[in-house]
Amino acid sequence: MASAEKIVNELKKQGITHAVGVPDNGSARIYELLRTEPGIEVITVTREGEAFALASGLYVGGKKPVIIIQNTGFLESGDAIRGTVFNMRVPVVVFIGYRGFHNRDADGQWIDSVASFLEPTLKAWNLPYELLETDNEISCISRAFETTEATSLPAAVLLIGHAI
């Protein structure tokens, strides 16, 4: 599992000002640590789609937000993503908890169907992403920020498991 402390340290290096989203079991420790950072404001929303609109507004206002949500909420947010971060060309990194990634049946099929929809949806929307499961993969965070800066579009980091 990836260290929440190392994730937060990387976010601080990237100069984020806000973390916006809906905490879940996988991201709870990340949110807990972010709340202790004096230069970062944590904003929780009631639905994931709101996170995209709020992050877009923060960006337009000169801030550097990051979005932290779960894959179920990401899938529910399609129109909010299209209408804000894509249409407005907001270079935001979206951390998406990959619920169900390791839960497969004997035939290798995902038990939780949300896992089977996440990556095909990201590909269909042409949203670049990388997987983050261990501390060895922390560098994918800086690459995601580089991608957003180069394209003025969002990029995703898929969090596999719980950040500890």
Side-chain angles (χ1 to χ4, degrees):
M1 291 188 206
S3 160
E5 185 175 338
K6 288 186 179 182
I7 292 169
V8 169
N9 285 339
E10 186 60 36
L11 292 174
K12 288 174 11 185
K13 284 183 202 173
Q14 296 300 325
I16 69 156
T17 59
H18 294 77
V20 183
V22 179
D24 64 78
N25 290 339
S27 64
R29 181 74 178 132
I30 297 169
Y31 274 102
E32 180 182 314
L33 292 173
L34 286 169
R35 283 187 179 95
T36 68
E37 292 298 327
I40 299 172
E41 185 176 346
V42 174
I43 303 172
T44 55
V45 294
T46 57
R47 297 193 65 84
E48 287 83 351
E50 295 172 348
F52 292 93
L54 188 57
S56 295
L58 288 165
Y59 172 74
V60 168
K63 304 301 181 184
K64 189 172 183 179
V66 66
I67 297 169
I68 308 172
I69 58 175
Q70 193 178 71
N71 53 2
T72 51
F74 173 79
L75 293 174
E76 183 266 334
S77 301
D79 191 50
I81 294 165
R82 179 206 54 80
T84 58
V85 295
F86 276 105
N87 284 354
M88 295 171 64
R89 300 190 63 82
V90 176
V92 66
V93 174
V94 183
F95 284 79
I96 304 171
Y98 206 147
R99 189 182 101 192
F101 181 81
H102 287 295
N103 299 330
R104 298 178 189 244
D105 63 20
D107 296 324
Q109 299 298 314
W110 274 299
I111 295 170
D112 186 340
S113 64
V114 71
S116 65
F117 287 101
L118 180 58
E119 289 185 70
T121 300
L122 291 167
K123 289 174 184 172
W125 292 352
N126 200 29
L127 201 153
Y129 68 91
E130 289 191 54
L131 303 176
L132 173 56
E133 184 171 17
T134 69
D135 286 346
N136 294 332
E137 298 150 347
I138 290 289
S139 62
C140 76
I141 297 172
S142 62
R143 287 192 300 274
F145 278 94
E146 290 168 7
T147 297
T148 64
E149 290 167 13
T151 64
S152 291
L153 290 168
V157 174
L158 307 185
L159 295 170
I160 299 172
H162 292 70
I164 54 171

